[in-house]
Amino acid sequence: MIRIVVADDHHVVRTGFAALLETQPDFTVAGTAVDGAEAVRLGRQLAPDVILMDVRMPGMDGIEATRQLAGSGPRVLILTTFDLDEYVYDALRAGASGFLLKDVTAERLFDAVRVVAAGDALLAPAVTRRLITEFARLRQTPVAGGAALAALTPRETQVLRLVAEGLSNPEIAARLVVTEETVKTHVSRVLNKLGLRDRTQAVVTAYETGLVIPGAR
């Protein structure tokens, strides 16, 4: 059973998502929150698998709530009304596993929750990469973590670059002519060496350290 908390300051949105999620036999909505502070409290108190987090809320917003929950157990799926939202970019940097538009279809929502609960990052390649590319380009922010890339082997660096380009493990395996299991091992080592939680964080890091240049292929 996948335990979920829904955090949104709008009552209709909050109850609507909760009711929709409850239609699935493998989901249970453990609680709902009206702001980031309550989402953090419920995340720690109820130990859900996934928190659906509105990015813009009064008081503590979804970014700060995500930052406080990062590494503590629950995986965060950000909810937003439009895809090129700078708040979403900041939430991904803070530790969110992915994001969904609020007009998402029911099936897409259910799939997203299952993917994130299973420990995978929700990388909708076109939208997520477009968002990361756009804001990495606009900010041009040097990141100290660039030095950490030196800890990676040439092959691990190559795998990180391909992950950042949006390739799946099978696609990377085909590109490098290795087994999918080998790719999984490389990805796991990259995440461990760089102290990253999942592939979403890896993509952000690859762009912000300059390993992948926005707009360049």
Side-chain angles (χ1 to χ4, degrees):
M1 186 68 72
I2 299 173
R3 291 166 52 78
I4 306 161
V5 164
V6 179
D8 195 295
D9 59 311
H10 292 99
H11 176 76
V12 172
V13 175
R14 189 171 64 250
T15 56
F17 271 108
L20 194 57
L21 292 164
E22 285 283 12
T23 65
Q24 298 303 289
D26 55 332
F27 291 172
T28 182
V29 176
T32 60
V34 300
D35 57 28
E38 189 174 16
V40 171
R41 182 177 62 78
L42 292 181
R44 291 170 177 164
Q45 178 183 317
L46 302 177
D49 301 294
V50 177
I51 298 180
L52 282 183
M53 183 90 73
D54 183 17
V55 73
R56 298 168 183 258
M57 292 183 284
M60 184 189 295
D61 62 18
I63 301 166
E64 181 56 30
T66 298
R67 188 174 292 115
Q68 291 194 21
L69 287 165
S72 66
R75 290 182 175 267
V76 176
L77 257 179
I78 291 293
L79 295 170
T80 183
T81 51
F82 64 105
D83 55 8
L84 279 182
D85 184 343
E86 189 166 5
Y87 280 73
V88 174
Y89 178 70
D90 287 331
L92 293 175
R93 293 182 69 200
S97 292
F99 74 97
L100 291 170
L101 299 180
K102 287 188 178 180
D103 62 357
V104 65
T105 65
E107 287 307 314
R108 176 77 176 121
L109 171 66
F110 301 152
D111 288 346
V113 169
R114 292 185 181 109
V115 164
V116 170
D120 296 320
L122 184 72
L123 272 178
V127 177
T128 303
R129 283 187 59 244
R130 184 159 61 94
L131 178 134
I132 292 171
T133 300
E134 178 68 11
F135 289 109
R137 180 184 65 78
L138 290 176
R139 292 186 180 185
Q140 297 288 311
T141 308
V143 174
L149 296 182
L152 302 181
T153 66
R155 179 63 99 184
E156 288 165 354
T157 302
Q158 188 177 22
V159 168
L160 174 57
R161 186 177 285 111
L162 294 174
V163 167
E165 290 179 6
L167 274 65
S168 65
N169 285 351
E171 289 169 335
I172 294 173
R175 177 81 63 88
L176 301 181
V177 196
V178 296
T179 66
E180 190 175 341
E181 197 59 41
T182 298
V183 174
K184 288 180 181 177
T185 299
H186 285 313
V187 171
S188 178
R189 286 177 180 162
V190 167
L191 298 181
N192 287 335
K193 286 183 178 182
L194 299 182
L196 305 173
R197 188 171 190 181
D198 57 32
R199 294 171 85 95
T200 303
Q201 307 305 297
V203 174
V204 172
T205 297
Y207 277 100
E208 293 204 327
T209 57
L211 178 65
V212 176
I213 306 300
R217 290 300 300 269

